[in-house]
Amino acid sequence: MFLEIQNIVKNFGQEQVVKNLSFSLDAKKTLSILGKSGCGKTTMLKTIGGLLSPDSGSIRLNGEDITHKKPEKRNIVYLYQEDLLFPHLNAFENIAFGLRLKNIPKSIITDRVNHMLKSLELENQSQKMPNQLSGGQRQRVSFGRAIITNPSLLLLDEPFGSLDAGTRHRMQGLFKNLSKEFEISSLFVTHDLKEAVLMGDEIGFMQAGNLKVYTDKNEFIADPETGVEEEIKFWGALAGLEKNVDLKKH
Amino acid sequence: MKLSWKPFVLSLAVLLILFPFAYLVLLSLASDWRFPDLFPSYIGLKNWSKILSSETGLLTSFASSLLISLSVAIVSTVSGFLISRAVFYHPKKNTLTLLAYFPYILAPVVFAACLSFFFLKMGLFGNVMGVIIAQFIIAFPYALLFFSSFWNKKVKSYEDLVATLGGNRWQTYIKVLFPLAKGLLLICFFQTFLISWFEYGLTSIIGIGKVQTLTIKVFLFIKEANYYYGALSCCLLIFPPIVLLYFNKRYVFKKLA
């Protein structure tokens, strides 16, 4: 397995936020994780990214134990809900940021950033400062900045949480395309049920620090804990109601 | 047509503000101006030409003041920025922040008297290094408190992001934190420079008359009733802050706005 998490525990004082976390992920796959606010999703991602150290357990990436490795040495990029674009850099420089840290030759950086801008459909926005970009454009630049460094694993913490429904839908499509084009392995955390189903090759559900990964989407849908059945009932009832209204009209 | 008083009031206000400065310049150019003469018997550059002579020691004072204030401002601003970050992430940040107010509880002269024993033991009495360290003790807590508002969750997120993108601590400072705080760093440099530039109490006690900054010199001339040299040293005293104010207005406040 590409990513193997074994028995990770993380406490804050007396509170156990992540409880005995164990799962694995194949390379070039996306595991979407559904969970309500405060269930330990962010702590889990930050632990895997090296921004928090686990109290126990181990993390293996591509066969290597990275449990105690510094975040800058892991090649795992963590993406926040906020785009966190650097306000003093334009879109081009924001995307080039990770490459400049690695002292890659300028001509290569220019080629790669221009290619990324094209993939993100932002060719004409490259010289704009973050405050001149829309929410969706900013999030795309943020994606580009993460993906261009060719990370082994991408951690996405509700990346579309602050976007409106339309932009969110477009961004979901864009992420799917980018995942395919750049062969990205990722953990996609969300509290949106539909997004979790759409984005993941595999799907998991996190509750009170425990993560359950399902073998397939049917098992996920059948589990009453996930709330999918309730959702289906709600929309089914609404559809039935609309049908009745239509019949009465005719 | 209705007469507006606004331009007259504004002009009067500007004149009232500018008058002390214009008077200082006039006084620095004058000599032998006694009551009831309306104008001084001499107006010229005689006093100013004496800046270059060693007799008044003004040029030496100006140079040592500049050296002391630049050192204090640079060291306080940089260390204040770096240490305020450590304080922000410390579990006892509130206690540490409270401690930073300590040098301001005492009057500078009392504070200097408390420090004098240690400065004497360390051989820092009456030399420039001693004055720099003494003024740093006042300016550093100011810088620490000044930067405490800069650190927040968002800045922490930026730091984490740079780390996951492969950046080390040095790159985080150079490529992100310093550019983000550029405006604040310049303002803090300006403020700590002014704290040091106009400092009198600590400097007079720790410097014991051997380190004569411009502020000390102004007081000496006034004590001697030499108003012309006093005005001249005041003009020199005002010059660097005006230059800094100009740069701040042109490069800092414009960007912050």
Side-chain angles (χ1 to χ4, degrees):
Chain A
M1 279 290 180
F2 180 69
L3 174 71
E4 287 173 84
I5 309 288
Q6 284 179 342
N7 308 316
I8 289 286
V9 172
K10 180 67 192 171
N11 301 311
F12 287 117
Q14 297 295 312
E15 192 189 355
Q16 197 169 49
V17 182
V18 175
K19 296 170 185 167
N20 224 22
L21 182 78
S22 294
F23 69 91
S24 54
L25 179 72
D26 278 328
K28 301 168 198 172
K29 296 277 180 193
T30 296
L31 168 65
S32 60
I33 297 165
L34 180 72
K36 289 174 189 155
S37 301
C39 71
K41 306 184 299 266
T42 300
T43 306
M44 174 190 71
L45 288 189
K46 285 192 169 178
T47 308
I48 296 170
L51 300 171
L52 293 171
S53 358
D55 295 320
S56 63
S58 70
I59 304 164
R60 296 183 77 82
L61 186 70
N62 213 6
E64 186 194 355
D65 187 349
I66 57 159
T67 317
H68 303 291
K69 229 178 180 182
K70 284 183 174 177
E72 58 264 35
K73 305 277 181 201
R74 292 190 184 204
N75 200 24
I76 296 177
V77 177
Y78 178 83
L79 275 181
Y80 289 77
Q81 183 176 344
E82 268 183 282
D83 52 70
L84 288 180
L85 296 189
F86 302 118
H88 57 287
L89 301 176
N90 62 23
F92 184 98
E93 284 303 322
N94 260 290
I95 294 175
F97 187 84
L99 301 179
R100 297 223 189 275
L101 292 177
K102 291 173 182 162
N103 295 322
I104 292 170
K106 277 183 185 174
S107 58
I108 297 175
I109 293 179
T110 308
D111 288 347
R112 284 174 68 179
V113 174
N114 283 334
H115 175 71
M116 181 56 76
L117 282 164
K118 205 173 173 188
S119 300
L120 297 166
E121 297 161 20
L122 287 170
E123 297 110 306
N124 301 324
Q125 318 294 330
S126 67
Q127 297 309 309
K128 285 191 177 170
M129 297 306 280
N131 60 2
Q132 295 171 310
L133 299 170
S134 68
Q137 287 171 332
R138 289 168 65 101
Q139 200 57 268
R140 273 186 273 167
V141 173
S142 169
F143 264 55
R145 180 176 60 186
I147 294 167
I148 204 166
T149 59
N150 199 19
S152 304
L153 182 69
L154 197 58
L155 307 172
L156 301 112
D157 194 355
E158 303 191 25
F160 309 136
S162 58
L163 302 176
D164 62 81
T167 314
R168 192 175 184 139
H169 182 66
R170 280 196 297 280
M171 287 299 295
Q172 287 164 349
L174 181 79
F175 178 70
K176 288 289 248 184
N177 294 338
L178 289 173
S179 289
K180 207 179 269 177
E181 186 185 344
F182 294 94
E183 300 183 328
I184 299 164
S185 312
S186 59
L187 298 181
F188 192 108
V189 155
T190 178
H191 62 253
D192 186 278
L193 184 58
K194 192 177 147 198
E195 191 167 76
V197 177
L198 278 173
M199 302 309 291
D201 299 305
E202 291 175 52
I203 196 160
F205 181 68
M206 195 160 190
Q207 201 172 28
N210 293 301
L211 177 72
K212 185 179 175 186
V213 179
Y214 297 89
T215 47
D216 57 43
K217 281 180 184 170
N218 289 331
E219 192 195 352
F220 173 75
I221 292 164
D223 187 347
E225 292 280 333
T226 61
V228 181
E229 279 185 338
E230 239 174 81
E231 194 90 353
I232 291 169
K233 269 184 207 163
F234 172 79
W235 289 108
L238 203 68
L241 214 66
E242 275 189 4
K243 232 179 223 175
N244 287 341
V245 172
D246 281 348
L247 283 173
K248 275 180 192 172
K249 270 186 189 169
H250 292 293
Chain B
M1 202 175 82
K2 199 182 165 188
L3 189 70
S4 170
W5 288 98
K6 209 174 162 184
F8 297 105
V9 174
L10 273 176
S11 307
L12 186 69
V14 169
L15 277 175
L16 283 173
I17 291 165
L18 288 181
F19 174 73
F21 299 102
Y23 187 65
L24 265 181
V25 175
L26 178 70
L27 214 54
S28 75
L29 294 168
S31 68
D32 210 19
W33 191 3
R34 294 173 204 282
F35 183 81
D37 296 349
L38 195 57
F39 295 104
S41 53
Y42 172 83
I43 291 183
L45 292 168
K46 191 172 74 182
N47 297 336
W48 282 86
S49 66
K50 281 187 182 163
I51 292 175
L52 293 170
S53 72
S54 58
E55 186 195 329
T56 55
L58 274 173
L59 200 65
T60 323
S61 288
F62 184 77
S64 64
S65 285
L66 214 56
L67 172 74
I68 291 168
S69 297
L70 284 175
S71 309
V72 170
I74 292 169
V75 178
S76 308
T77 304
V78 174
S79 60
F81 185 71
L82 300 178
I83 294 170
S84 68
R85 180 186 175 276
V87 169
F88 177 75
Y89 293 126
H90 198 277
K92 296 203 169 172
K93 91 171 170 186
N94 290 339
T95 313
L96 292 172
T97 307
L98 199 67
L99 280 175
Y101 284 99
F102 181 73
Y104 304 113
I105 296 170
L106 303 170
V109 179
V110 179
F111 188 53
C114 297
L115 291 176
S116 56
F117 171 76
F118 303 102
F119 274 66
L120 196 65
K121 282 276 177 198
M122 288 188 287
L124 292 169
F125 234 49
N127 60 45
V128 170
M129 185 51 84
V131 172
I132 290 175
I133 293 171
Q135 290 190 357
F136 171 79
I137 294 171
I138 293 286
F140 168 71
Y142 173 83
L144 196 74
L145 296 168
F146 182 85
F147 286 119
S148 61
S149 62
F150 171 74
W151 304 101
N152 53 44
K153 272 188 181 173
K154 193 167 181 179
V155 175
K156 169 83 176 100
S157 302
Y158 276 125
E159 286 186 56
D160 288 347
L161 177 71
V162 178
T164 64
L165 285 170
N168 57 33
R169 182 62 62 82
W170 173 249
Q171 287 172 318
T172 308
Y173 273 108
I174 296 298
K175 291 189 181 286
V176 177
L177 296 178
F178 283 140
L180 280 181
K182 196 169 78 182
L184 289 179
L185 284 164
L186 283 168
I187 291 174
C188 186
F189 172 80
F190 179 59
Q191 302 278 19
T192 46
F193 181 89
L194 288 184
I195 289 173
S196 165
W197 188 253
F198 293 115
E199 217 294 317
Y200 177 77
L202 262 177
T203 313
S204 62
I205 290 181
I206 304 295
I208 47 166
K210 287 183 183 171
V211 182
Q212 290 199 338
T213 59
L214 266 182
T215 315
I216 301 274
K217 214 68 175 167
V218 170
F219 277 90
L220 279 176
F221 286 135
I222 291 169
K223 270 186 205 165
E224 289 170 6
N226 192 341
Y227 302 117
Y228 312 113
Y229 280 180
L232 177 60
S233 42
C234 277
C235 289
L236 288 176
L237 202 62
I238 292 166
F239 179 66
I242 285 177
V243 172
L244 276 179
L245 198 67
Y246 172 76
F247 278 107
N248 254 359
K249 192 176 173 296
R250 193 172 168 87
Y251 299 108
V252 184
F253 293 119
K254 216 180 198 177
K255 280 185 183 171
L256 288 180

